[in-house]
């Protein structure tokens, strides 16, 4: 247990900070008229991200995971589950522990009382993606409001795709279908299946994860991913059970609106997330196609030539090792520097460490 | 007001991301998120000051140093961090340090 000293204290400290913050902001939330449920969601999101970052050894949020119905995504299972949910319409909060959890699939758990659902996007996915590939990783978060409004937020690590459509009386189900295989990461497919409530012919919105094309029609939505399956654009109801096959199924029907989000060539970082907006599809696609991608691609080689320093070598771990702290005393004698630091959090080689005091020497 | 220094840590970033998601889904307002972050600053500052009690030594070579607005920023290369229990080696590390004596 030699290594456990720091690994033991860090998670505990983080948990205690989380608890403190959540408790302290509870009053603020209530003052603002925000439901306690939202506070719990914040806590869950927070803990999940911590866990996914693997910088800390998480434990506490496993319970939260159960509440969030984290699932592993496999197509058949997804269909089943989806089907199941679709029929029930009131999704019970069950965890469906699928097989080994290499991926996370979030399925909104909704209570029948008017409770908004929040799906935690997978930063783990993002991380996975980033770690192995720059292939498009997408996480979708959807909120299904009991009133029937749908908010869909889709975030992709690289190419953010975002479709937002308020619907009436639509049951929203979202699934994240990451197709991550060991040793390789495929673009995850995020599917949103909207099953309008009986009697509604409401248009459906589909959210597609893949950096591929999103076919967005008034009535049907289709995804045309290169590697990921496209959900069949059913008209009403069947979308839930639509086939989600991992293989590319370019089922193109009418395509009045074609949304293209190019993830593979996208060099922007994961911070480049599209915000929730009402979409002007045509504009967006033109802009994205012409402006962002090309510009970035062209700039990249130029910039990299200018770079003299050996930045590349340190990218190995995909983290810049950072220490944030306070200094007590910084001393220099000729080119010999001495550092007296305190109260710091370090992220080294991807892991988090904490110190109350740090003393260092360096030569410049 | 405590240092906002610790927002760019795993803990702080995950909190900010979570808040961003809630904002996007319009479950909270940006103002509320800001309040949460301020509360986080207080909590993390006090937790570090009181609940952590360990020491680390390090040694390396200094690549760059900067002192601006009372904030030191160093970039060190080939650094070894040594704690009682373990040794951590990194090729490059960036250290950002605010004044520990006073908030100002």
């Amino acid at each position: 247990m030699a290594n456990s000293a720091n690994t033991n204290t860090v998670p505990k400290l983080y948990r205690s900070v989380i608890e403190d913050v959540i408790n302290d902001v509870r009053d603020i939330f209530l003052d603002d008229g925000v439901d306690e449920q939202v506070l719990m969601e914040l806590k869950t999101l927070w803990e999940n991200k911590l866990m996914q970052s693997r910088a800390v050894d998480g434990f506490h949020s496993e319970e939260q995971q159960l509440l969030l119905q984290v699932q592993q995504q496999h197509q058949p299972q997804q269909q089943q589950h989806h089907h199941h949910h679709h029929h029930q319409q009131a999704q019970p909060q069950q965890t469906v522990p699928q097989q080994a959890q290499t991926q996370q699939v979030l399925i909104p758990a909704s209570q029948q009382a008017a409770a908004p659902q929040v799906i935690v996007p997978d930063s783990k996915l993002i991380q996975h993606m980033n770690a192995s590939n720059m292939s498009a990783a997408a996480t979708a978060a959807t909120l299904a409001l009991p009133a029937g409004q749908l908010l869909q937020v889709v975030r992709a690590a690289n190419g953010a795709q975002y479709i937002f459509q308020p619907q009436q009386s639509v049951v929203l189900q979202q699934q994240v279908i990451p197709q991550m295989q060991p040793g390789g990461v495929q673009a995850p497919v995020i599917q949103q299946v909207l099953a309008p409530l009986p009697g509604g012919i409401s248009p459906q919105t589909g959210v597609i994860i893949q950096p591929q094309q999103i076919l967005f029609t008034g009535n049907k939505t289709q995804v045309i991913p290169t590697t990921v399956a496209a959900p069949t654009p059913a008209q009403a109801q069947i979308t839930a059970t639509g086939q989600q096959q991992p293989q590319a199924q370019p089922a193109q029907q009418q395509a009045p609106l074609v949304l293209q989000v190019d993830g593979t060539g996208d060099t922007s970082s994961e911070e480049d997330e599209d915000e929730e907006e009402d979409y002007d599809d045509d504009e967006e696609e033109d802009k994205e196609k012409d402006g962002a991608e090309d510009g970035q691609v062209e700039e990249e080689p130029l910039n990299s030539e200018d770079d003299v320093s050996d930045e590349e070598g340190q990218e190995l771990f995909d983290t810049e090792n950072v220490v944030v702290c306070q200094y007590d005393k910084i001393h220099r004698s000729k080119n010999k520097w001495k550092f007296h630091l305190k109260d710091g959090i370090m992220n080294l080689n991807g892991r988090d460490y904490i110190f109350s005091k740090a003393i260092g020497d360096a030569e410049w | 007001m405590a240092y906002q220094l610790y927002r760019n840590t795993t803990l702080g970033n995950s909190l900010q991301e979570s808040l961003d998601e809630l904002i996007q889904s319009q479950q909270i307002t940006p103002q509320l998120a800001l309040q949460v972050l301020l509360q986080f600053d207080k909590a993390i500052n006090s937790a570090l000051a009181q609940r952590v009690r360990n020491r680390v030594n390090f040694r390396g070579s200094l690549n760059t140093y900067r002192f601006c607005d009372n904030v030191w920023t160093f970039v060190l290369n080939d650094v070894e961090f040594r704690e009682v229990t373990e040794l951590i080696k990194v090729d490059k590390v960036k250290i950002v340090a605010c004044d520990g004596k006073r908030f100002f």
Side-chain angles (χ1 to χ4, degrees):
Chain A
M1 299 257 286
N3 274 354
S4 72
N6 209 315
T7 58
N8 206 16
T9 56
V10 171
K12 254 196 271 180
L13 182 86
Y14 282 7
R15 301 302 157 224
S16 75
V17 169
I18 293 180
E19 294 296 329
D20 285 346
V21 171
I22 296 291
N23 286 330
D24 288 337
V25 302
R26 180 168 284 123
D27 289 340
I28 307 180
F29 267 59
L30 294 180
D31 283 347
D32 259 24
V34 179
D35 194 30
E36 169 94 8
Q37 166 103 0
V38 179
L39 183 64
M40 286 303 117
E41 283 172 15
L42 172 66
K43 182 174 184 203
T44 311
L45 283 169
W46 194 1
E47 288 175 343
N48 281 350
K49 287 185 197 295
L50 273 181
M51 283 219 358
Q52 291 163 4
S53 78
R54 279 172 294 158
V56 190
D57 297 330
F59 57 86
H60 179 49
S61 46
E62 283 171 11
E63 310 163 9
Q64 314 291 347
Q65 277 190 8
L66 291 180
L67 291 177
L68 269 190
Q69 292 188 1
V70 173
Q71 279 190 7
Q72 182 188 14
Q73 275 299 319
H74 283 305
Q75 311 309 347
Q77 297 168 7
Q78 192 182 19
Q79 279 187 4
Q80 282 179 6
H81 192 80
H82 214 46
H83 203 86
H84 202 57
H85 268 223
H86 170 64
H87 283 309
Q88 290 183 2
Q89 265 198 4
Q91 301 152 17
Q93 295 185 3
Q94 312 159 354
T95 28
V96 185
Q98 305 289 345
Q99 301 127 14
Q101 294 180 352
T102 51
Q103 312 140 11
Q104 286 186 359
V105 174
L106 298 177
I107 293 189
S110 63
Q111 305 166 358
Q112 270 195 325
Q117 304 173 3
V118 173
I119 289 83
V120 177
D122 294 342
S123 27
K124 173 180 169 186
L125 282 182
I126 296 180
Q127 267 210 349
H128 250 79
M129 299 301 163
N130 283 340
S132 51
N133 246 348
M134 286 307 272
S135 64
T139 51
T142 43
L143 294 179
L145 300 181
Q149 276 190 351
L150 287 178
L151 295 183
Q152 302 174 6
V153 176
V154 178
R155 283 187 193 175
N158 299 339
Q161 300 181 0
Y162 182 87
I163 294 187
F164 170 92
Q165 254 201 5
Q167 298 291 341
Q168 34 173 347
S169 64
V170 176
V171 171
L172 175 64
Q173 294 180 353
Q174 78 170 186
Q175 297 172 355
V176 177
I177 311 171
Q179 295 183 1
M180 304 193 340
Q181 318 271 344
V185 171
Q186 301 177 11
V189 177
I190 300 180
Q191 283 191 358
Q192 282 187 347
V193 178
L194 297 184
L197 294 177
I201 314 182
S202 36
Q204 305 161 10
T205 53
V207 174
I208 298 66
I209 328 68
Q210 282 319 324
Q212 321 310 337
Q213 299 172 359
I214 301 178
L215 205 54
F216 198 39
T217 69
N219 284 339
K220 310 169 188 177
T221 52
Q222 296 188 7
V223 183
I224 308 174
T226 52
T227 54
V228 185
T232 52
Q235 319 150 350
Q237 276 215 319
I238 320 302
T239 40
T241 54
Q243 308 118 21
Q244 313 155 357
Q245 290 135 14
Q247 314 323 327
Q249 280 191 356
Q252 285 192 10
Q253 299 179 5
Q254 324 110 30
L257 303 169
V258 176
L259 222 73
Q260 174 169 358
V261 177
D262 189 357
T264 43
D266 193 0
T267 54
S268 54
S269 65
E270 62 186 46
E271 295 160 352
D272 189 10
E273 297 169 337
D274 282 356
E275 300 292 288
E276 218 177 38
E277 306 169 355
D278 282 349
Y279 235 48
D280 237 346
D281 299 308
D282 290 345
E283 287 180 7
E284 272 310 307
E285 84 180 276
D286 283 342
K287 222 193 317 179
E288 287 197 41
K289 263 198 279 188
D290 298 335
E293 309 304 327
D294 295 347
Q296 280 177 358
V297 170
E298 282 175 2
E299 282 178 11
E300 259 297 294
L302 286 179
N303 279 346
S304 57
E305 286 172 17
D306 291 341
D307 194 356
V308 178
S309 66
D310 52 347
E311 301 279 347
E312 313 267 353
Q314 284 85 30
E315 295 294 345
L316 290 175
F317 287 98
D318 204 26
T319 48
E320 163 149 333
N321 305 302
V322 177
V323 177
V324 275
C325 57
Q326 301 174 31
Y327 61 87
D328 279 327
K329 195 166 185 57
I330 305 290
H331 175 79
R332 177 194 65 84
S333 209
K334 293 217 174 80
N335 72 334
K336 305 278 187 280
W337 289 72
K338 291 199 195 309
F339 315 94
H340 293 252
L341 309 170
K342 70 175 188 185
D343 295 343
I345 300 181
M346 312 194 281
N347 185 282
L348 306 173
N349 297 334
R351 301 196 55 205
D352 271 10
Y353 305 86
I354 294 193
F355 61 83
S356 64
K357 270 175 79 69
I359 299 191
D361 285 282
E363 256 186 52
W364 179 71
Chain B
M1 274 262 299
Y3 280 129
Q4 300 185 1
L5 172 71
Y6 300 101
R7 291 192 190 179
N8 188 23
T9 57
T10 314
L11 197 60
N13 281 328
S14 45
L15 176 60
Q16 293 194 70
E17 286 171 14
S18 309
L19 288 170
D20 282 342
E21 286 168 24
L22 291 182
I23 293 178
Q24 286 189 5
S25 62
Q26 297 183 355
Q27 289 182 289
I28 63 176
T29 64
Q31 179 63 21
L32 180 60
L34 183 61
Q35 297 291 325
V36 175
L37 282 172
L38 291 175
Q39 197 58 44
F40 166 76
D41 295 330
K42 282 191 220 162
I44 189 71
N45 271 281
S46 98
L48 282 176
Q50 291 163 7
R51 285 185 223 149
V52 187
R53 283 281 170 262
N54 62 320
R55 232 174 98 139
V56 166
N57 288 323
F58 62 95
R59 175 176 296 277
S61 49
L62 186 63
N63 187 312
T64 60
Y65 56 89
R66 174 186 305 138
F67 183 60
C68 182
D69 290 335
N70 277 321
V71 177
W72 276 105
T73 307
F74 305 103
V75 177
L76 278 72
N77 290 117
D78 299 325
V79 196
E80 279 186 11
F81 288 85
R82 200 173 296 261
E83 201 170 355
V84 173
T85 50
E86 51 192 311
L87 171 68
I88 309 147
K89 291 197 197 185
V90 295
D91 289 335
K92 173 184 166 191
V93 65
K94 175 195 268 196
I95 301 182
V96 180
C98 289
D99 197 342
K101 301 189 244 323
R102 284 285 309 163
F103 175 61
F104 287 111

